[in-house]
Amino acid sequence: MISPELIETAAKIIFVFALTLGFFAPVLGWVERKQSAVMQDRIGANRAGVFGFTVIGLLHSLADAIKLVFKEDFTPRGAEKALHTLAPVMAVIPALIAFAVIPFGGQYTLWGHRVNLVVADLDVGLLFVFAISSISTYGVVIAGWASNNNWSLLGGLRASAQMFSYEVAMGLTVIALVMYYQSLSLVEIVAKQENFWHWGIVWHWPAFLLFFSCAIAENKRVPFDAPEAESELVAGYFTEYSGMKFVMFWAAEFIEMVTIAGMCVALFLGGHHIPFVTQAGLAEALGAFGPNGAQVAAMLIGVGVFVFKLILLLALQMAVRWTLPRFRYDQIMKLGWKMILPLSLAWISLTGAAILAGVMPRP
Amino acid sequence: METMLFYLFAGVAVILSLAMIAAKKPVTSAVCLVGVMFALAALFALLHAHLIAALQILVYAGAIMVLFMFVIMLLNLREKEGLAARHQIVAQAAGVALLGALLIPFMTLATLEKGPLSAIAPERFGTTAAVGELLYTEYLLPFEIASALLLAALVGAVALVKIRMR
């Protein structure tokens, strides 16, 4: 009844959830406070401790979790009760499932069983990520509408227009990569980046810059956090949320950061590949562990390299978060429609011309 | 397994469609319609049309319905209003009857022309490459006409706004 495939899939799902929800979400919450403190020459969270051991403030994540679990769940008067409850769920679920198509390692043969380190190897993987991330708009919009609060409604309105605009631009930024790799499957795209000179960022660094900016805007983080701008809208769309429902919005934001980093790694930074080391070369170097041992070691190294690159991109996102001030709302719209969109169209045309002319050899 | 999933998603689609037309508030209707889009995408995925399933969610649920929601929120519609809302039952019954009447000849025509479809899909069926190839070879003209139509609608919308602004 229980086939090895089922166990394999369950193990991969558990790994992805442990990585995003279990590890990165609380740790990023801590990093956000600690890194901002370092960048602003403060000390930062260091009060929560057990018998005087504060573990550089890490216990604050635990203390926050305990506080939020036991906090009263409040629904304001006149709010749409059902939709008010549904909204955080609609925000967190897309964040959790978008990671399903991002490969966090390569393909390995363990004891005759072929393991492909991705939860779902879809032919349309790239489109799947965009489809799912477009759904996350609803959580925000419905939260704003259902709260019966003008600040929330304004936040929801801003979010729907902003996220919709940047979705269009973000979709166009990766078209050039699809033309280059001739595939929509993220597994195939990563497999084609074995050679360092075929990494997305080598030829397509303008697309990387555009995609990264769009992704941050899509995740509504500073400098694009107009939907929750605390100096104008209290807390925007989640003003009226408390307890675990608030945690869902909060976790969705951090998990989306991980997904963005994962997408960047898979599309532009070679996934699990180490520069100038081929899969065959890696297996050969690990030959001393025996055929299965070499595969296991290669798998562990691959996942480790992927997570390392993930952490680099998360650190970059955090640094952007605490460096730039918030853009004005009209500036955000102008940037999306009048700069990023035409630039990505220009890059698509340039890539097309370069591929036709044979200047840009495809892997 | 596949049959079970089909009935599950088909059932969800039907129930949510009914909820959509029965709901008093426009926002509830919109949320139900998003659910219907998802159920339809699942049905497409069951038919091995993964590209269509992804596009269904991306375009309908992700883009068009977000705009619907945006408009509903901008107008701040709390309840259905106007002539149509007062004669809701009549309008709904007429709509369902008309759609059913149109569907029956359409289905008959579709089966007459191609014969009943086989349950086994060909190897490349539904992949991005296969759909793209068909779009740009066999169905190029309908595809281009549809894009021209969309472009015309876009230009028309901008022109209407320009007239108002003057």
Side-chain angles (χ1 to χ4, degrees):
Chain A
M1 187 69 204
I2 298 173
S3 60
E5 281 79 24
L6 200 65
I7 299 173
E8 186 197 326
T9 309
K12 286 190 285 199
I13 293 174
I14 290 171
F15 175 78
V16 166
F17 276 6
L19 188 71
T20 55
L21 193 62
F23 177 70
F24 275 124
V27 167
L28 283 174
W30 167 74
V31 170
E32 177 127 288
R33 301 165 82 171
K34 210 66 183 176
Q35 187 175 2
S36 70
V38 172
M39 289 178 78
Q40 296 167 349
D41 203 11
R42 292 183 285 113
I43 292 169
N46 69 345
R47 291 288 119 180
V50 179
F51 308 116
F53 293 103
T54 55
V55 211
I56 47 173
L58 256 175
L59 289 174
H60 272 274
S61 299
L62 195 65
D64 281 346
I66 293 170
K67 182 195 85 171
L68 287 160
V69 167
F70 289 105
K71 201 164 173 172
E72 184 194 352
D73 180 32
F74 182 74
T75 312
R77 188 153 28 112
E80 297 279 330
K81 183 106 197 190
L83 289 179
H84 188 264
T85 312
L86 189 67
V89 180
M90 285 180 94
V92 79
I93 286 181
L96 280 172
I97 50 181
F99 209 89
V101 291
I102 297 175
F104 50 89
Q107 284 145 30
Y108 310 94
T109 315
L110 306 174
W111 290 278
H113 182 73
R114 203 156 168 72
V115 178
N116 187 0
L117 283 188
V118 58
V119 175
D121 181 6
L122 288 185
D123 173 45
V124 289
L126 199 54
L127 275 183
F128 178 84
V129 176
F130 286 120
I132 295 303
S133 71
S134 70
I135 293 311
S136 57
T137 316
Y138 287 109
V140 177
V141 175
I142 293 173
W145 191 82
S147 293
N148 191 30
N149 176 325
N150 286 340
W151 306 125
S152 300
L153 186 69
L154 278 172
L157 271 175
R158 282 182 177 190
S160 63
Q162 174 182 331
M163 290 170 85
F164 179 77
S165 309
Y166 278 88
E167 232 163 64
V168 176
M170 188 162 74
L172 284 175
T173 53
V174 294
I175 298 286
L177 277 156
V178 174
M179 285 155 67
Y180 183 61
Y181 292 118
Q182 302 176 62
S183 175
L184 280 174
S185 158
L186 284 168
V187 173
E188 209 167 303
I189 289 177
V190 169
K192 284 186 174 170
Q193 298 183 51
E194 191 167 355
N195 180 341
F196 175 72
W197 301 112
H198 291 154
W199 280 21
I201 197 148
V202 174
W203 277 103
H204 293 278
W205 56 268
F208 172 74
L209 293 179
L210 296 172
F211 177 81
F212 195 64
S213 327
C214 286
I216 292 177
E218 184 75 6
N219 197 13
K220 312 175 291 300
R221 282 174 67 79
V222 183
F224 298 99
D225 71 333
E228 51 176 280
E230 67 274 4
S231 51
E232 304 163 31
L233 301 179
V234 190
Y237 58 92
F238 58 67
T239 305
E240 298 288 359
Y241 282 89
S242 60
M244 287 311 279
K245 286 183 191 161
F246 170 76
V247 175
M248 285 192 197
F249 282 119
W250 181 87
E253 186 180 317
F254 286 129
I255 295 168
E256 263 166 35
M257 275 180 74
V258 184
T259 309
I260 291 166
M263 283 287 284
C264 288
V265 171
L267 286 173
F268 296 99
L269 297 178
H272 59 97
H273 294 298
I274 309 168
F276 308 113
V277 178
T278 58
Q279 287 292 89
L282 187 65
E284 203 174 306
L286 298 164
F289 294 107
N292 283 318
Q295 288 284 316
V296 173
M299 185 168 90
L300 291 178
I301 290 175
V303 174
V305 168
F306 176 79
V307 174
F308 173 72
K309 291 178 184 171
L310 216 57
I311 290 172
L312 278 187
L313 276 164
L314 287 169
L316 183 62
Q317 289 186 59
M318 279 292 180
V320 170
R321 159 87 177 77
W322 292 106
T323 306
L324 294 173
R326 178 184 313 127
F327 293 154
R328 228 168 45 219
Y329 191 66
D330 59 318
Q331 291 173 327
I332 291 179
M333 290 317 239
K334 228 175 245 169
L335 183 71
W337 287 108
K338 293 192 176 169
M339 293 172 75
I340 293 182
L341 192 76
L343 277 176
S344 49
L345 282 174
W347 186 246
I348 292 172
S349 321
L350 251 171
T351 308
I355 287 173
L356 270 183
V359 189
M360 192 188 278
R362 290 191 281 194
Chain B
M1 185 68 182
E2 233 164 73
T3 327
M4 240 165 63
L5 283 175
F6 169 78
Y7 281 114
L8 174 72
F9 289 120
V12 169
V14 170
I15 291 170
L16 282 177
S17 312
L18 286 176
M20 182 194 90
I21 54 171
K24 274 218 176 70
K25 286 168 184 149
V27 168
T28 323
S29 291
V31 173
C32 288
L33 190 54
V34 175
V36 175
M37 301 294 181
F38 263 90
L40 286 184
L43 290 179
F44 282 132
L46 277 179
L47 291 169
H48 296 277
H50 293 147
L51 177 71
I52 308 291
L55 287 180
Q56 167 87 12
I57 296 183
L58 185 67
V59 175
Y60 286 101
I64 293 180
M65 286 313 294
V66 171
L67 285 183
F68 268 49
M69 210 75 125
F70 186 73
V71 172
I72 292 172
M73 280 167 54
L74 260 189
L75 300 178
N76 204 9
L77 298 172
R78 286 274 158 185
E79 301 251 335
K80 285 180 191 163
E81 294 164 8
L83 188 70
R86 260 179 275 139
H87 305 285
Q88 197 180 15
I89 300 290
V90 183
Q92 282 167 359
V96 170
L98 188 69
L99 199 65
L102 278 175
L103 199 62
I104 292 162
F106 181 72
M107 293 288 281
T108 340
L109 270 179
T111 38
L112 266 183
E113 198 176 311
K114 298 247 165 150
L117 293 168
S118 75
I120 302 148
E123 178 82 14
R124 284 173 71 239
F125 180 81
T127 59
T128 317
V131 175
E133 211 181 298
L134 278 178
L135 268 186
Y136 282 99
T137 53
E138 216 180 319
Y139 298 101
L140 182 63
L141 186 66
F143 178 69
E144 291 295 342
I145 290 175
S147 8
L149 198 65
L150 284 174
L151 187 66
L154 255 170
V155 173
V158 173
L160 279 176
V161 174
K162 284 272 174 195
I163 290 168
R164 270 236 199 119
M165 274 165 75
R166 270 202 222 113

